[in-house]
Amino acid sequence: MTRYLPIIYVRGFAGGTSGIDKAVDDPFYGFNEGSTHVRIGAYGIPSFLQFESPLLRLMIDHKYDLMVGGNQGALLRDAGKDQLSPKTIWVYRFYDRSASTFDRNARTLERSGAVREETPGPFRLEDAAQGLVHYIYEVLEKTKDAEQVYLVAHSMGGLVCRSAIQRFMYDAQRTPPPEQIEEGEGSVPDPAEEDGAFARFLPGLFGRAPRRHRVAAPSPSTAAQSPSGKVPPEFPVSKVVTYGTPHGGIEIELGGPIGDWVIETFGPEGSDIFKERRMREYLCPDGQEKFEPKNGWDARVPYFSALPAERFLSLVGTNPGDYDAGWGWSSRAVGVKSDGLVQIRNAYLKGSNRAYIHRSHSGRYGLVNSEEGYQNLQRFLFGNLKIALSLSSLDLDTSGGTVWQADVALAIRELPVLMHYQSARTHCPVVLNEENKDTPLSPVPLVTTFLLPSRESGTPRRYTLDLRVFALRENDGLILFGSHLEQVADWQDTLIMDVYSKPDGTIDKALYQWNSTLPGAIARANVLDKELDWKAASDSLPEAPSWVAKIALPDLALTVLGPEAHISVGIVEWP
């Protein structure tokens, strides 16, 4: 059943005074910005697509209310306890107090009759985070039948949310030890890192290892990506969505013009706000700033968070070319493996759910004002089922320094965009022969998605997962061009899946078929020929039920991926 809770939007960094003034002139801090441009695939030409904005779509699709009344903050303060509907959207306007466009010597009449002097103050991330905590509790106090909120944030706004949760809402009694959080207990398996991936194969691969690298079938809990079940209702945040947030910081190496642009964009602190010293200060509880994890400090790990990482959705942009901030210097500085400002490797919280979309950090092709971003957001917030697909029991030929990769694309019928797109073309392929640090014989995660409840019991919801698998043969890090065929897949196919719902909106059955076995066009395919055989997972609990299923690969795929290779499907209720 869909849980509708108040949504609080937290915008990204506005920059210096001029940027702050521009931000506060917008009634909704940019959450109301839509777009009219879309790119088809990684290198497609622009096409017209009118996206109304996430604000309007939440109001249209899910009947959320946006009550402003001349001053949304005053409306919230004046509301009585338990007076407001949970289906409301709030914009956390933390920049207003730093704007210069209002009277610098403004006077506010308090309810008691006293007059309070107000002057613009400098922006500080900790102040915004602490203010967000107060704002969350105020929204909950005034909202009927809601014990939690949803947070939606862009860019640095995601760090404000994490600072609020990890520093100012930290409670040692209900938060796992940071060492346990670092180990990833109860979180989504982390896919391959792009740096040094080949060096972290199974011990003994170099030398005495057998010719083929073996990956065993997952346990039921691993196939379902080990969901932790419901979040304790006493914690005031249920889920967090971050668009292009620099969870791991921003790495800028160029000086000159880019240095000037950083100072202008990020204010007096400059890029220091995304470096380890400052991130420790605002992401760690008071007195814990010098905590030293055994694997080294990684800002992407939510060390002191009472909210599990799987309750986050990290939307990762992969299109630097369309980000024109700083006259193009930003994209040059951070490189092609980015959204133009945040590197792909830094744009996600470790253990979080992820969607990779070919969008830039902001602008005409930005993440927030995109159909792709909204479709992932609404399914994550309001979906009732979480589905994870992984490649299992791989038997890959890793001789001669062979590295195996896969391109993955998730599409949904009637949507004009891809929900998820990982590709070598966008510098974020799935690395297949990369072992998991905790369980070396683990499956390789492909994609995680969420299903919205459906009231149409007759018409199935159709999903397609496009897979391209290819090998790169390397010697000391150099591609062996004698065996290299650029952009040619060793195996590729498209999995088609139809999900049927019961009258109450729950799943009735799921049918699937590979495109290579389907005569004619996919759009004309009616009933698919195989049905998923769901089984209760061994660790399924009444309060957090989970199921697993297995999808056989086409015979041709087995010659490449191994005779026992298959796709494991895990499904859990998503409260």
Side-chain angles (χ1 to χ4, degrees):
M1 181 178 179
T2 298
R3 296 181 68 209
Y4 286 112
L5 300 174
I7 295 174
I8 298 176
Y9 173 67
V10 186
R11 69 154 290 138
F13 204 88
T17 301
S18 61
I20 291 174
D21 290 345
K22 182 178 179 181
V24 302
D25 285 346
D26 187 328
F28 307 112
Y29 269 19
F31 199 45
N32 56 315
E33 292 184 3
S35 63
T36 57
H37 289 65
V38 67
R39 289 197 184 277
I40 307 301
Y43 296 103
I45 60 173
S47 299
F48 180 83
L49 176 67
Q50 188 171 347
F51 174 66
E52 304 93 318
S53 81
L55 182 69
L56 280 178
R57 289 293 289 275
L58 286 168
M59 297 169 67
I60 294 169
D61 294 346
H62 299 280
K63 311 305 178 188
Y64 263 77
D65 292 329
L66 184 69
M67 297 179 294
V68 178
N71 186 330
Q72 192 179 58
L75 187 151
L76 178 62
R77 290 193 300 271
D78 293 340
K81 184 178 180 180
D82 296 334
Q83 178 181 338
L84 302 173
S85 164
K87 295 178 70 171
T88 50
I89 301 173
W90 304 95
V91 177
Y92 175 47
R93 298 184 60 88
F94 59 90
Y95 270 129
D96 288 11
R97 66 181 302 272
S98 301
S100 66
T101 54
F102 300 114
D103 189 346
R104 289 185 178 274
N105 297 310
R107 298 187 176 193
T108 299
L109 183 64
E110 301 281 9
R111 293 181 182 177
S112 63
V115 175
R116 183 178 77 247
E117 298 284 347
E118 291 186 347
T119 57
F123 169 78
R124 189 166 177 266
L125 193 144
E126 288 93 326
D127 295 336
Q130 195 167 21
L132 176 60
V133 176
H134 294 304
Y135 197 76
I136 289 170
Y137 281 112
E138 186 172 19
V139 168
L140 290 176
E141 180 186 3
K142 304 300 177 66
T143 303
K144 182 180 180 181
D145 299 328
E147 297 178 331
Q148 296 173 298
V149 301
Y150 296 137
L151 299 179
V152 176
H154 175 229
S155 193
M156 190 211 64
L159 297 178
V160 173
C161 295
R162 285 185 59 194
S163 178
I165 292 169
Q166 294 176 217
R167 181 175 178 84
F168 298 104
M169 301 173 94
Y170 173 71
D171 182 348
Q173 300 301 315
R174 63 180 178 184
T175 304
E179 298 85 0
Q180 181 178 329
I181 293 176
E182 181 185 20
E183 291 297 325
E185 183 173 323
S187 63
V188 180
D190 197 54
E193 300 283 341
E194 61 176 341
D195 295 327
F198 188 67
R200 293 195 302 275
F201 283 175
L202 290 175
L205 179 61
F206 303 101
R208 63 181 177 82
R211 181 173 183 270
R212 285 183 175 269
H213 165 51
R214 192 79 185 156
V215 183
S219 66
S221 62
T222 304
Q225 296 201 2
S226 302
S228 60
K230 294 184 178 180
V231 175
E234 62 269 15
F235 194 75
V237 179
S238 174
K239 301 174 187 176
V240 182
V241 178
T242 64
Y243 288 87
T245 289
H247 290 287
I250 296 177
E251 300 170 27
I252 297 176
E253 300 178 356
L254 297 182
I258 187 60
D260 295 337
W261 176 81
V262 168
I263 296 299
E264 173 63 25
T265 302
F266 298 112
E269 288 187 299
S271 59
D272 184 55
I273 198 172
F274 302 116
K275 298 302 180 183
E276 181 177 325
R277 180 188 66 82
R278 279 292 289 126
M279 297 187 82
R280 280 177 175 267
E281 290 177 353
Y282 59 73
L283 291 179
C284 296
D286 189 29
Q288 298 280 358
E289 295 87 353
K290 294 184 179 181
F291 165 70
E292 291 296 339
K294 69 175 183 179
N295 294 322
W297 170 265
D298 187 341
R300 298 172 297 176
V301 179
Y303 294 110
F304 299 95
S305 176
L307 188 67
E310 72 164 352
R311 303 298 290 184
F312 286 74
L313 171 63
S314 302
L315 294 172
V316 182
T318 63
N319 175 12
D322 284 323
Y323 189 63
D324 57 4
W327 304 281
W329 278 106
S330 174
S331 294
R332 297 185 186 97
V334 300
V336 295
K337 300 178 181 180
S338 71
D339 63 7
L341 180 62
V342 182
Q343 287 88 355
I344 292 172
R345 64 179 178 271
N346 290 332
Y348 61 84
L349 191 73
K350 281 203 166 183
S352 68
N353 304 283
R354 263 170 258 172
Y356 293 79
I357 55 182
H358 195 63
R359 287 281 183 164
S360 61
H361 191 74
S362 61
R364 183 179 295 121
Y365 300 98
L367 287 162
V368 179
N369 55 318
S370 71
E371 182 82 36
E372 296 98 319
Y374 171 74
Q375 292 297 340
N376 279 286
L377 176 144
Q378 70 159 342
R379 284 166 171 78
F380 177 74
L381 294 185
F382 311 128
N384 63 335
L385 293 173
K386 173 181 175 179
I387 296 183
L389 282 78
S390 305
L391 270 175
S392 298
S393 298
L394 299 181
D395 190 2
L396 301 171
D397 180 1
T398 57
S399 60
T402 302
V403 176
W404 290 87
Q405 297 179 347
D407 290 349
V408 181
L410 177 66
I412 300 178
R413 184 163 54 187
E414 297 181 357
L415 291 186
V417 294
L418 292 175
M419 288 281 293
H420 178 97
Y421 182 56
Q422 281 187 263
S423 169
R425 293 180 178 179
T426 56
H427 308 286
C428 57
V430 178
V431 180
L432 298 182
N433 47 356
E434 167 70 12
E435 94 273 21
N436 181 279
K437 67 176 182 180
D438 297 319
T439 55
L441 299 181
S442 66
V444 179
L446 292 178
V447 68
T448 299
T449 191
F450 302 85
L451 301 187
L452 289 169
S454 175
R455 293 181 175 85
E456 299 180 10
S457 57
T459 304
R461 289 168 286 177
R462 174 160 291 181
Y463 302 81
T464 62
L465 181 69
D466 190 65
L467 286 174
R468 298 178 72 251
V469 175
F470 47 93
L472 296 175
R473 290 169 175 82
E474 298 183 352
N475 185 9
D476 294 329
L478 299 176
I479 296 177
L480 301 179
F481 286 98
S483 60
H484 180 74
L485 292 171
E486 178 65 19
Q487 299 297 319
V488 177
D490 291 271
W491 171 73
Q492 66 182 89
D493 209 334
T494 300
L495 175 67
I496 311 161
M497 184 177 295
D498 285 348
V499 178
Y500 292 81
S501 299
K502 298 178 182 178
D504 62 0
T506 59
I507 288 183
D508 181 19
K509 61 180 179 180
L511 305 181
Y512 72 94
Q513 190 168 349
W514 289 96
N515 186 39
S516 59
T517 68
L518 184 71
I522 293 178
R524 296 182 179 180
N526 293 322
V527 180
L528 305 180
D529 65 1
K530 293 181 176 61
E531 182 172 356
L532 281 182
D533 182 17
W534 295 104
K535 298 179 180 178
S538 60
D539 58 353
S540 178
L541 300 173
E543 61 272 23
S546 58
W547 303 267
V548 291
K550 176 179 176 180
I551 296 178
L553 293 171
D555 291 342
L556 286 177
L558 302 181
T559 64
V560 175
L561 302 178
E564 299 179 17
H566 62 276
I567 290 181
S568 294
V569 185
I571 184 169
V572 294
E573 289 189 352
W574 181 243

